[in-house]
Structures are given as structure tokens and as C-alpha cells.
Amino acid sequence: MSEVTTARTREGDGKPLHTGTITAWLSEVFALKPAGINWPRAVLFLDVTLVPLLILWAIGHEEYLLSALFGTLFAGLADPGGGYGNRASRVTVFALIGAGLTALGFGIGGSNWGWLALAAFAVTLVASLTAAFGAHRFVAALLLNIWFIITLGVAYSFHQQPHITSHSWAQVLAWAGGAALWIAVTFIGWLIHRRQDRPPLAAELPGDTSRRTMSRPLIMFAVIRAVVIGGTVAIAFGLNLSHGSWLPIAAIVAMKPSLQQSALTAAQRLAGALIGAVAAVLLLLIPANEQGATLVAITRGLEVVALIVLMHGFAIRFWNYALYCAAIAAGVLILLDLPQPSNFSAEGYRVLWTLCGAGAAVIVMFLAGLLTQRPPHPAAPAA
């Protein structure tokens, strides 16, 4: 057959709800929503993040750039909007929790793989259970969860590079400085707008803070997520895989935030993780076999490229989810592996672990979703 049809659900009258081919499915994955582009928000992100980039370039400590950038980025995403006092207090709490996770991640980054897996399991479990405290708090916890997995990968890679000196306290300071920068920017904006309440940076993200019951599906969802992330961390660092940190990072990027999300969202996350990994691989080949001033110039150029890629991700979050995931994955992976040497073998491992991590996350969450949709057992017949 020239076309491969996909299975679809049917209504009560027997007519298919949706039919199509693989091409139609891909068109759904990469469907564009022009109204979802927000360039002013992206330009604001780029303007703000140029500050830590230039400061760290000036003092010669680019190894702290990732912490500063994500401190700024995630503080902006966690900003609930509204009155400045409420915004500043909630972002401050978010920043303090993130500082603690930064200290933990970089502090144990060179430890036994068992401690890394246990910490990843515990952080993911707690972050997932925050879904009971409202969608907004869950999103904030999810951001911190992603950041903690990144810290483990960065810290582990630094321990594999003896020529790089990274202090945990300095990484915490960089994260806190990035978050403080966002608080200062919101204060300036608040004054410019005559002390009026302001909307959140990402108004499309959920702002609900109503509590929910700690139900069995929610607990199962949290445990499954924690097992997947803890397992991928154990495999990556326990087997000492070459560039193995890409495995848990791909898993956390590709994993669905909830069991109720559709197969379309899962496909978009998987496609985005793979596209982002391939883009990062191609860019990381540029500095291969370079040394001296040329290597420094290329490295700094790629840091700027990573910022621009992240900026585009900020702009297209609701334009297309797959391309957004690709931009975020590419930016993170470029900044993560810039200190490590690149060659065709290394790039092959990076793509392989990305495929394994993303695929494992999607498959496990899909199976878990099927379990939650099982119909209850029929009642026993009367005697």
C-alpha cells in the first residue's frame, strides 16, 4: 500500500472521527498557529540574558553561564504577574528553592551514581506531587525539576574535565543572581507602567492555584515519572556512558507533564527532542579539533547562538509545540556540552542517548496512560 492508515476512534454511529495518513499525522505534529508567536517576549528574554553573558565573559568564568541563564529564564516563567509585592515574594521563594537544588546538584555531581539516581528520583517525585497544589505550582516545580536534572549533567561533565574548575557556591550565586536580575527587571517595568499590576511573562501558562485531592492516579503519575528519571540517571552515570547526561535530559524534556495528555503532545515532545539534539550535534561539530584563540572565539559564538535559539523557543512556545521543544533542547544541549570535545563518535553517542531517553519516557508514560484508562472490573453476578 502506498499509504499507511492509522487507527482511529469511532462514534456510536460507526463513522470514523478522524482518518488520515502518516503525512496527515506529521502535519498535525508540526501544525502552526500564527497567533502563538510572541516576539516582544523573546526580545525581552534576549536583552535580559545578555547581561550575565557579558559579565561572565568579562571575568572569564563562562562555566557559570548556564546557571545564570536558567535562573533568569525560569524565574521569568514562574512569575505569576499581578502586583509587584506578590510577584517579588513568589519569585524569591522560587529562586531560593532553585538555589537549594543547584547546591545539591553541583554538590553531589561527582558522587557515586546511586546518590545521583536517588536524588533525581526524590526531586522528581516531590515535583510531580505538587500537582495537588494547583497547576501554577506544578509548572514551577516542573521547571525546578528540569533544572535539577540539568545540574546533575553539568556537574558530572565538569568532573570529567579536570581543566575546568567549578565551585558549587559560585553556581548557586549565578542561579540566584539570574533570578535577582529578573526581579530587578520586573521592578523597573512596574515603575515604568506607573505601579500598575502587570500580566505574567507567559500568560498562556496555567495560573490556577486551587488545591486538588491527592488521588491514586496523581500518586501513580508522580511515582512513574520519578522511576523513569531515576532510572535514566542510574543508567547514564552508573554505566559511565559517553555523554550519558543527554539520556536523562532527553527523558525529562520528552516526558508528558500528565497522564491525560494526548498522543499528539507525546509525538511533539519526542520529535522536538530529536530535532533539537540533531541541531546541537551539528553545531557542536564546529569546534572539533580547534585549539587556542580559534576555539575560544567559536565557543563564545556558539554561546550566543544558544541564546538566540532559546530566544526563538521563548517566541514560538504556542506557535508549534514540537519546534518549541526542539529549540529548548538544542539551546540546553549546546550550553551543556560546549566544554567537552566533539567528534563524530561523540555526536553519535549524543544522538543515540537522546533517542533512548526520549523514547523511553514517551513509551512509559503512554503505557501508564493506558493503565489509568482501564475500565473497572464488572460486578460479580448475583447468586
Side-chain angles (χ1 to χ4, degrees), residues 40-120:
R41 178 171 62 195
V43 172
L44 174 62
F45 162 75
L46 182 61
D47 292 342
V48 173
T49 53
L50 282 176
V51 175
L53 177 67
L54 294 176
I55 291 176
L56 292 172
W57 276 1
I59 63 177
H61 288 286
E62 292 90 344
E63 63 270 21
Y64 304 114
L65 178 61
L66 201 64
S67 295
L69 289 182
F70 276 86
T72 305
L73 171 63
F74 283 175
L77 291 175
D79 187 347
Y84 179 74
N86 178 61
R87 297 174 66 186
S89 61
R90 292 179 65 172
V91 173
T92 299
V93 172
F94 176 86
L96 291 175
I97 297 174
L101 292 176
T102 304
L104 176 62
F106 282 99
I108 67 174
S111 303
N112 182 275
W113 65 269
W115 290 111
L116 302 183
L118 180 61

Side-chain angles (χ1 to χ4, degrees), residues 307-339:
L307 275 188
I308 295 175
V309 170
L310 290 173
M311 179 198 79
H312 281 76
F314 227 47
I316 65 175
R317 168 62 180 83
F318 298 94
W319 184 54
N320 179 266
Y321 191 57
L323 297 180
Y324 159 77
C325 291
I328 297 301
V332 170
L333 296 174
I334 291 170
L335 293 173
L336 175 67
D337 264 14
L338 270 181

Side-chain angles (χ1 to χ4, degrees), residues 129-301:
L129 289 175
T130 58
F133 298 96
H136 181 78
R137 293 186 179 93
F138 173 68
V139 169
L142 179 62
L143 294 175
L144 292 173
N145 189 186
I146 293 173
W147 169 240
F148 180 72
I149 302 304
I150 293 173
T151 64
L152 293 180
V154 175
Y156 188 83
S157 66
F158 282 167
H159 280 85
Q160 305 301 311
Q161 305 290 322
H163 63 281
I164 298 178
T165 301
S166 172
H167 301 286
S168 298
W169 64 267
Q171 295 288 357
V172 173
L173 185 61
W175 163 272
L181 175 61
W182 177 255
I183 294 175
V185 168
T186 57
F187 179 71
I188 295 172
W190 180 65
L191 293 178
I192 292 175
H193 291 90
R194 300 179 180 181
R195 303 182 181 181
Q196 296 178 355
D197 292 355
R198 301 298 301 157
L201 180 65
E204 302 91 344
L205 295 179
D208 178 33
T209 57
S210 58
R211 297 195 176 190
R212 294 171 174 79
T213 304
M214 192 73 72
S215 60
R216 182 175 176 273
L218 190 151
I219 296 174
M220 185 177 71
F221 155 69
V223 172
I224 289 173
R225 284 177 57 86
V227 168
V228 172
I229 298 303
T232 53
V233 168
I235 293 172
F237 302 131
L239 299 179
N240 196 24
L241 300 177
S242 176
H243 304 283
S245 60
W246 285 45
L247 180 66
I249 291 176
I252 193 69
V253 170
M255 190 172 293
K256 296 188 293 182
S258 71
L259 291 175
Q260 289 74 31
Q261 286 197 341
S262 64
L264 175 61
T265 302
Q268 288 176 319
R269 282 177 168 266
L270 178 59
L274 293 178
I275 293 172
V278 171
V281 159
L282 295 176
L283 290 170
L284 288 170
L285 277 174
I286 297 176
N289 302 320
E290 298 291 348
Q291 295 179 351
T294 303
L295 177 60
V296 173
I298 293 176
T299 299
R300 291 191 171 181

